[in-house]
Amino acid sequence: MPNRISRTKAVGLSIGTALVMSTAWSLVSVAGPANAAAVDCPTEEQIPAEDLQSGENAAACDLIGRVVLLNDLSVYVPDPGEGITAQAESATGEDATSLTVETSLDGTVTAVIGDVPDPGSQNPDPAVGTDSSGASEAFEETDAVTEVGEVVDPDFDPLAVTLPRACRMSEYNFLGHMWDANETAKFLVNNTEARPSNITAAKFLAVAKAAASHISGGHNDCDIASNPAINIAFSALTTYNSNINGAENRCAADGDGRNTVDFGNLTSFLALTCTRHKNQPGWTYRKITESDIRMDNTSVSWVTTTSGCTGNKYDMEAVATHEFGHWVGMGHVADDGDSDLTMSVHTASCNASARTLGKGDLKGLKVPY
Ligand SMILES: [Zn+2]
């Protein structure tokens, strides 16, 4: 008897469910076109980054491993929990191009275009965990002398000190991914292949080492003495290429476990840094797992000193220092065109000032490090 009652109930439920489903199906079929629009997956072979700005479901649209394109820069959609950031300097020194594509642990793919914070906005890039205290800082100049605070001579006039302009600019942009500061971040240099004819192997190695040390050592002309707490070290020479598909200006599909600095053909950029990062349980920020830097060997004229430099030539050490800023998680900052801060969105020709950090560069580095 109990069995029969329960079976009857079960049948009753089935009928009820079937009725509901039937009604639902009718509604779906009536609303057919609208329903199709709701799952509007990108169909292009290379997905325009704009199409992913508001997020798209990776599984529903089969996005993992697809190429995302922004201008001449592209990356692959990474696995859930991972992200790839591509940052490239324009070959004409104009605004740099930046693209981050992240896949959240729940499978939402989001593209973040550009990385220059809006002056005055509080947190323009929540998808990449932008440090809000840094990103919220509008373009400003402040007097670094008051922070240095080492005025011992009562007749000393701080206003008479002519520090570089970058020492009065406070802006920075930490993108929210960082190396494990308890370990030494190591890089390889391929200085045997694809070098421009005017750059010797020894010079390229020396420049790469110098650029890395400018970041880790907090080198500046502002009399600011505190270093960021990150150790960067040259590991070894390599014949591997950086993990970048040069002809397409594209960060490679998968990491190769090597952080390589090299030369290669970047069709429309001075330099490109590809940084891979992932969610790290217990961390405030995302953890960098690999970062590669490529300097262009085709359309760019590099110089190793700005003495006598004229025309459209670029100081290799200044640009490499900027790239190592990306390598540790820094984004671009706006300036008014003078490229004073190392992480400026502009690159000035015949200008070596980015070899040393400005006030904002140091403030940014000290957020994660
Ligand atoms: Zn850049």
Side-chain angles (χ1 to χ4, degrees):
M1 197 51 117
N3 281 345
R4 185 176 295 175
I5 287 171
S6 63
R7 184 155 54 221
T8 307
K9 278 184 178 172
V11 168
L13 278 173
S14 294
I15 292 170
T17 308
L19 282 170
V20 169
M21 285 182 68
S22 159
T23 309
W25 278 112
S26 325
L27 284 172
V28 168
S29 65
V30 166
N35 190 53
V39 287
D40 186 13
C41 293
T43 56
E44 298 89 338
E45 188 184 343
Q46 299 189 359
I47 305 168
E50 292 82 0
D51 291 0
L52 298 175
Q53 277 185 286
S54 54
E56 200 75 71
N57 185 279
C61 293
D62 195 19
L63 296 177
I64 305 294
R66 301 262 300 272
V67 171
V68 181
L69 183 68
L70 175 68
N71 302 327
D72 291 328
L73 197 63
S74 54
V75 303
Y76 290 87
V77 176
D79 289 331
E82 298 179 4
I84 303 180
T85 297
Q87 295 161 298
E89 320 320 320
S90 156
T92 56
E94 299 302 312
D95 280 5
T97 303
S98 296
L99 170 64
T100 291
V101 175
E102 286 185 359
T103 306
S104 67
L105 287 170
D106 70 4
T108 302
V109 178
T110 308
V112 180
I113 296 173
D115 59 3
V116 178
D118 239 359
S121 71
Q122 283 305 302
N123 192 358
D125 283 345
V128 292
T130 304
D131 180 73
S132 57
S133 62
S136 67
E137 289 204 29
F139 174 79
E140 62 171 315
E141 289 192 34
T142 54
D143 189 352
V145 173
T146 56
E147 284 205 0
V148 175
E150 291 181 341
V151 180
V152 289
D153 178 353
D155 296 321
F156 179 84
D157 178 10
L159 295 177
V161 176
T162 52
L163 291 172
R165 188 164 168 272
C167 301
R168 302 190 303 272
M169 297 171 69
S170 298
E171 199 181 20
Y172 64 88
N173 183 17
F174 170 54
L175 292 184
H177 51 258
M178 65 179 291
W179 291 100
D180 186 338
N182 294 318
E183 298 176 358
T184 297
K186 295 181 178 173
F187 64 93
L188 302 158
V189 174
N190 180 339
N191 67 348
T192 54
E193 298 175 323
R195 278 192 335 272
S197 57
N198 67 324
I199 306 295
T200 65
K203 188 64 186 178
F204 182 41
L205 176 60
V207 164
K209 287 180 176 176
S213 73
H214 295 327
I215 297 294
S216 60
H219 295 171
N220 67 86
D221 296 323
C222 307
D223 295 333
I224 299 173
S226 56
N227 296 351
I230 178 171
N231 294 311
I232 307 176
F234 166 68
S235 170
L237 295 174
T238 183
T239 53
Y240 285 103
N241 293 330
S242 64
N243 199 22
I244 291 168
N245 301 338
E248 295 97 3
N249 297 319
R250 181 177 303 158
C251 302
D254 299 305
D256 67 359
R258 289 182 288 266
N259 309 309
T260 307
V261 183
D262 74 355
F263 273 106
N265 181 5
L266 301 171
T267 49
S268 53
F269 298 112
L270 292 175
L272 166 62
T273 297
C274 289
T275 306
R276 296 163 191 278
H277 39 87
K278 64 173 187 177
N279 290 331
Q280 184 75 358
W283 282 34
T284 303
Y285 300 118
R286 298 168 63 79
K287 179 180 180 180
I288 297 175
T289 55
E290 181 180 330
S291 188
D292 292 82
I293 294 173
R294 173 160 289 174
M295 314 288 284
D296 179 66
N297 69 356
T298 304
S299 57
V300 179
S301 294
W302 295 106
V303 292
T304 55
T305 171
T306 53
S307 173
C309 179
T310 56
N312 204 28
K313 301 188 180 84
Y314 293 89
D315 183 70
M316 191 167 58
E317 189 172 323
V319 173
T321 304
H322 174 102
E323 298 310 312
F324 267 100
H326 291 324
W327 198 83
V328 300
M330 295 297 132
H332 295 114
V333 294
D335 69 15
D336 53 2
D338 288 342
S339 305
D340 290 279
L341 288 170
T342 296
M343 297 318 296
S344 167
V345 73
H346 304 114
T347 310
S349 58
C350 293
N351 187 326
S353 64
R355 291 184 184 190
T356 52
L357 307 181
K359 183 182 179 187
D361 299 314
L362 284 158
K363 286 179 71 174
L365 287 167
K366 289 180 78 72
V367 172
Y369 304 112

